[in-house]
């Protein structure tokens, strides 16, 4: 009823208008229809908006039929509807074109994103291969050690013995790092046997010092660690990222060695107990370990002076350090304590003024690829 009333009102208005020059209005309306129909965009609508264009054509046909029949009011009304329908077809065309352009732009963006991802993947792969080549170069250099050292006497031989003990400790720590990555690392059992034999010889204070043997055992453990990392799919970039994070946070002075990222704490102990500041810092490192579950942790206790026989102070120190790390959130199953004693000094142990620096606690983050 409402639509009928609207049509009737429009017809009455058109009738009044036609009464005052209706023929002129009728011709103008039909001219408007033809102009709208002839527009290039409207012709495109015949292809992209066939339904809307068909409705416009139908209204145009009816307008022409009403005009031929002498119905001026009907001709004007249908002509206006035809113009509106052609306009609708034009709007549909514009919407379709915009939709197509949006789809093309989205495809271009997707293609560009895919290319960027592929480039990033290639870059990461190249970085991993470069890091692996660096490891191989270092290992090859270790293996190029001379078969034997020339004889030495006096202080030189004593220095060699100190160096051999330090190399033996480094070998043990490297093999320990490999064990944290995988307990059954290839070659680990044999390397452990070589370390045990070397320790037995070093305990007797031999002359000449087995420095060449110690260097080869260290190289063997480095090889085991390298192979373990490769087998576990370790990403070298993870250690670089952790090193950057610790450096940026300030106060840690982290370093990098063959095992991973090393944080060293001095003056950490009061006797066999942890100091309050060291406890706080170790808890902070425990939170770091919890935030980076792909890393295992090696805790190494170093002494400034030799321990007395049957003294378990170092074991208690290591235990306290592990407890502090766990309290901070580190996983106890991913931590391994090591006791280095005085065998890996930073300064000359004979220098009474400086040797206190040899007492330290190393916390080593070892990327395990898990």
């Amino acid at each position: 009823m409402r639509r009928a009333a609207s049509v009737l009102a429009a017809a009455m208005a058109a009738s009044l208008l036609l009464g005052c020059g209706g023929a002129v209005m009728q011709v103008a309306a039909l001219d408007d229809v033809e102009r709208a129909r002839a527009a290039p965009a409207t012709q495109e609508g015949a292809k992209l908006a066939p339904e809307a264009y068909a409705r416009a054509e139908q209204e145009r046909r009816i307008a022409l039929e009403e005009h031929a029949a002498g119905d001026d009011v009907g001709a004007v009304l249908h002509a206006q509807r035809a113009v509106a329908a052609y306009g609708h077809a034009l709007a549909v065309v514009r919407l379709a074109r915009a939709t197509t352009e949006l789809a093309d732009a989205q495809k271009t963006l997707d293609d560009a994103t895919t290319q960027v991802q592929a480039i990033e993947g290639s870059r990461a792969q190249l970085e991993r291969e470069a890091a692996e080549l660096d490891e191989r170069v270092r290992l090859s250099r270790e293996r190029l050690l001379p078969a034997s050292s020339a004889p030495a006497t006096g202080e030189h031989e004593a220095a060699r013995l100190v160096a051999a003990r330090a190399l033996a400790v480094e070998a043990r720590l490297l093999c320990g790092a490999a064990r944290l990555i995988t307990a059954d690392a290839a070659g680990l059992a044999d390397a452990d046997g070589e370390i045990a034999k070397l320790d037995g010889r070093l305990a007797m204070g031999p002359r000449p010092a087995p420095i060449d043997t110690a260097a080869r055992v260290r190289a063997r453990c480095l090889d085991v660690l390298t192979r373990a990392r490769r087998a576990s799919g370790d990403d070298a970039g993870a250690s670089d990222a952790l090193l950057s994070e610790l450096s940026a946070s300030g106060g840690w002075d982290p370093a990098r060695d063959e095992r991973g990222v090393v944080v060293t704490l001095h003056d950490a102990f009061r006797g066999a107990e942890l100091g309050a500041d060291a406890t706080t810092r170790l808890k902070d490192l425990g939170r770091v370990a919890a935030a980076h579950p792909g890393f295992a942790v090696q805790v190494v206790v170093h002494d400034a002076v030799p321990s007395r026989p049957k003294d378990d102070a170092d074991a208690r120190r290591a235990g306290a350090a592990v407890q502090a790390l766990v309290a901070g959130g580190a996983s106890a199953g991913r931590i391994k304590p090591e006791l280095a004693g005085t065998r890996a000094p930073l300064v000359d142990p004979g220098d009474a003024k400086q040797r206190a620096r040899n007492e330290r606690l190393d916390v080593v983050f070892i990327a395990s690829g898990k």
Side-chain angles (χ1 to χ4, degrees), residues 10 13 21 44 56 59 63 65 89 100 104 120 129 131 139 141 145 149-150 153 164 185 200 214 336 362:
E44 188 179 1
E59 292 294 339
E65 290 174 355
T100 300
D104 291 342
E120 287 295 326
E129 291 175 357
L139 182 58
R141 287 173 177 170
L145 292 168
S149 299
T153 58
K336 178 67 168 64
D362 287 339

Side-chain angles (χ1 to χ4, degrees), residues 2-64:
R2 185 176 300 171
R3 178 176 176 78
S6 298
V7 172
L8 178 58
M12 291 174 66
S15 178
L16 292 173
L17 291 172
L18 287 171
C20 300
V24 175
M25 178 175 289
Q26 182 188 49
V27 172
L30 292 175
D31 286 344
D32 290 341
V33 171
E34 294 306 318
R35 279 194 296 273
R37 184 173 185 268
T42 304
Q43 293 302 312
E44 188 179 1
K47 298 178 181 179
L48 299 181
E51 292 182 3
Y53 185 84
R55 285 195 295 271
E57 287 288 279
Q58 183 181 20
E59 292 294 339
R60 172 180 173 274
R61 180 178 54 78
I62 295 174
L64 291 174

Side-chain angles (χ1 to χ4, degrees), residues 306-326:
S307 300
R308 293 189 302 272
K310 299 183 180 180
D311 186 352
D312 65 348
D314 278 354
R316 285 186 286 151
R317 290 173 178 175
V322 171
Q323 288 179 3
L325 288 167
V326 172

Side-chain angles (χ1 to χ4, degrees), residues 143-219:
R143 287 174 170 170
L144 289 175
L145 292 168
S148 60
S149 299
T153 58
E155 293 183 357
H156 291 288
E157 191 61 41
R160 281 185 180 179
L161 183 58
V162 172
R165 286 171 174 158
L167 289 170
V169 169
E170 291 178 12
R172 184 175 296 281
L173 296 179
L174 288 168
C175 276
R179 184 175 290 103
L180 280 169
I181 294 174
T182 174
D184 56 351
L188 181 58
D190 291 339
D192 283 341
E194 293 180 19
I195 292 173
K197 291 179 182 178
L198 177 61
D199 285 344
R201 289 182 63 187
L202 290 170
M204 296 163 35
R207 296 293 180 97
I211 188 168
D212 299 318
T213 301
R216 284 192 289 271
V217 172
R218 184 191 187 281

Side-chain angles (χ1 to χ4, degrees), residues 93-133:
V93 169
R94 289 175 176 171
L95 177 61
R97 187 184 297 119
T99 301
T100 300
E101 291 174 353
L102 176 62
D104 291 342
Q106 185 61 50
K107 184 178 183 304
T108 300
L109 176 61
D110 292 342
D111 291 343
T113 301
T114 300
Q115 281 187 320
V116 170
Q117 291 173 343
I119 291 172
E120 287 295 326
S122 298
R123 182 184 64 81
Q125 178 64 28
L126 289 173
E127 289 178 349
R128 286 193 294 271
E129 291 175 357
E132 184 173 312
L133 286 174

